[in-house]
Amino acid sequence: MQHKTVLLSEAVDGLRVSKNDIVVDATFGCGGHAKEIIGKLGKKGCYIGIDTDATAFNQVKLGEVIPRIHLVNDNFKNVSTILDSLNIRQVNAILADLGWRMEQFADTDKGFSFKSDGPLYMTFGDPKNYDFTAEDIINDWDEHVIADILFGYAEERFARRIAKGIVTARKVKRITSTFELVKIVENSLPKIALNKKIHPATKTFQGLRIAVNDELRVLEQFIKDGFSRLAKGGNMAIITFHSIEDRIVKLSFRELVKAGLGELKNKKPITSSEEELKANPRARSAKLRIIKKF
Ligand SMILES: C[S@@+](CC[C@H](N)C(=O)[O-])C[C@H]1O[C@@H](n2cnc3c(N)ncnc32)[C@H](O)[C@@H]1O
């Protein structure tokens, strides 16, 4: 299944790109927002696309492009060093569209999906570059830490039961595949929790993915460092897909406003239109927040 860009015009219009601007797109993905941004830039403009997953760049042809383009395989938490290495001090707009793209979810080698069997990595980038994978957490970390991850990063109500189930199962054999984990989660839950609309392993997978990629700390760092490189009048737009991420964006932006450094473009987050929701059900949880720097 192909990734569908979410809140395309809402996010790019919110950046208010002019033709000579320097724009950072921190989550290149399938290049959906990229193409729209590049279309607004002229010869003197500059587009910087970042993605921690190198395969993102293989899939996209940007076609006839006019501005300068830099595609950088790195984590957006390093936005400052990335800009330093390009000799860029300030930028006019920054976009981040968090999470994964459809192709990563479908990639059985990543282990993001509970719908297909694969190794339990859950890293956005190459697992070799990470300190630990989901398999390490599940097999080697303490039961109470696993429970805290599932509750703290995914608000899983049955975090303690699932952590207990994992620890019991790993005594028999090392847990190495997504389907093994799904079975353990299903066996740990009360029957009533199995009949919900969302898959019973959704939150377990979300919590582990956030922990493996250190997503929340990375996001806080990115907002702080990205905002400090934004020029006066520049906009930072962030699209989130779950409440924990959205809370971080909301609170970080609020701090910047309180410090007199910027203003919110919208009091409430921007969400998808009915039309977009019909075409792309994943968009239902998307929230866009934009801050403008003074
Ligand atoms: C939702 S997709 C972006 C889709 C893109 N905006 C588009 O329109 O095609 C998110 C992308 O961000 C990347 N990503 C996630 N966390 C990242 C991080 N910390 N640093 C850099 N890229 C990251 C993922 O690898 C994925 O390709």
Side-chain angles (χ1 to χ4, degrees):
M1 201 194 285
Q2 233 189 344
H3 185 81
K4 287 196 183 91
T5 296
V6 164
L7 292 167
L8 177 62
S9 56
E10 290 87 344
V12 178
D13 291 351
L15 294 176
R16 304 240 165 251
V17 178
S18 308
K19 56 183 203 313
N20 296 340
D21 278 353
I22 303 177
V23 183
V24 172
D25 176 3
T27 49
F28 180 81
C30 295
H33 289 108
K35 287 179 191 155
E36 192 78 6
I37 292 167
I38 288 167
K40 293 186 182 293
L41 293 170
K43 258 192 228 153
K44 292 190 181 148
C46 174
Y47 167 88
I48 302 151
I50 303 171
D51 205 297
T52 190
D53 179 358
T55 65
F57 303 118
N58 303 337
Q59 299 174 352
V60 186
K61 285 210 172 56
L62 292 172
E64 226 18 50
V65 285
I66 297 163
R68 267 179 301 149
I69 294 196
H70 301 281
L71 298 181
V72 186
N73 175 213
D74 201 340
N75 194 306
F76 59 57
K77 73 176 175 196
N78 302 321
V79 63
S80 267
T81 49
I82 294 169
L83 293 176
D84 287 346
S85 70
L86 297 171
N87 280 323
I88 293 171
R89 214 167 57 80
Q90 284 198 317
V91 303
N92 306 97
I94 300 180
L95 170 69
D97 171 19
L98 302 176
W100 37 263
R101 51 181 207 281
M102 239 22 232
E103 292 77 3
Q104 291 171 310
F105 197 64
D107 183 348
T108 51
D109 281 348
K110 287 209 171 286
F112 283 148
S113 174
F114 38 75
K115 289 187 183 149
S116 46
D117 204 13
L120 279 166
Y121 295 143
M122 302 199 192
T123 59
F124 281 122
D126 187 335
K128 283 192 225 95
N129 300 330
Y130 288 71
D131 294 336
F132 51 83
T133 63
E135 183 183 322
D136 299 321
I137 297 179
I138 286 169
N139 289 284
D140 305 328
W141 292 23
D142 286 348
E143 182 178 327
H144 73 273
V145 181
I146 297 175
D148 286 350
I149 286 173
L150 304 191
F151 186 72
Y153 292 164
E155 293 165 336
E156 171 57 71
R157 266 181 73 201
F158 300 106
R160 306 232 162 269
R161 293 171 76 131
I162 296 170
K164 198 175 179 37
I166 287 171
V167 170
T168 307
R170 77 188 187 191
K171 285 186 187 140
V172 181
K173 86 169 258 306
R174 196 170 170 84
I175 304 156
T176 56
S177 80
T178 49
F179 275 3
E180 281 177 86
L181 179 60
V182 169
K183 264 252 123 28
I184 294 165
V185 173
E186 285 171 348
N187 291 340
S188 308
L189 295 180
K191 273 213 182 79
I192 187 170
L194 296 174
N195 299 326
K196 293 267 158 65
K197 257 200 215 147
I198 68 161
H199 190 285
T202 305
K203 292 191 168 183
T204 298
F205 275 61
Q206 176 186 315
L208 289 167
R209 195 202 76 208
I210 291 177
V212 167
N213 297 286
D214 197 12
E215 286 176 44
L216 306 185
R217 230 162 358 145
V218 162
L219 178 58
E220 281 172 342
Q221 185 72 39
F222 165 73
I223 295 175
K224 197 162 140 270
D225 291 355
F227 192 82
S228 76
R229 304 296 285 250
L230 208 52
K232 260 190 193 170
N235 290 295
M236 175 184 251
I238 304 189
I239 302 171
T240 61
F241 289 87
H242 57 78
S243 57
I244 301 175
E245 270 175 348
D246 181 55
R247 205 177 304 138
I248 289 181
V249 177
K250 184 167 94 177
L251 296 180
S252 303
F253 281 8
R254 195 184 281 167
E255 286 298 306
L256 292 165
V257 170
K258 254 200 213 153
L261 298 172
E263 67 178 356
L264 300 180
K265 295 294 284 282
N266 306 78
K267 281 240 153 57
K268 291 215 163 131
I270 299 166
T271 52
S272 299
S273 62
E274 284 298 322
E275 202 185 342
E276 178 170 14
L277 292 177
K278 263 191 217 140
N280 183 10
R282 182 174 181 250
R284 73 179 183 273
S285 43
K287 286 191 175 145
L288 165 67
R289 292 184 189 268
I290 307 172
I291 188 168
K292 178 177 178 178
K293 187 161 177 172
F294 285 147

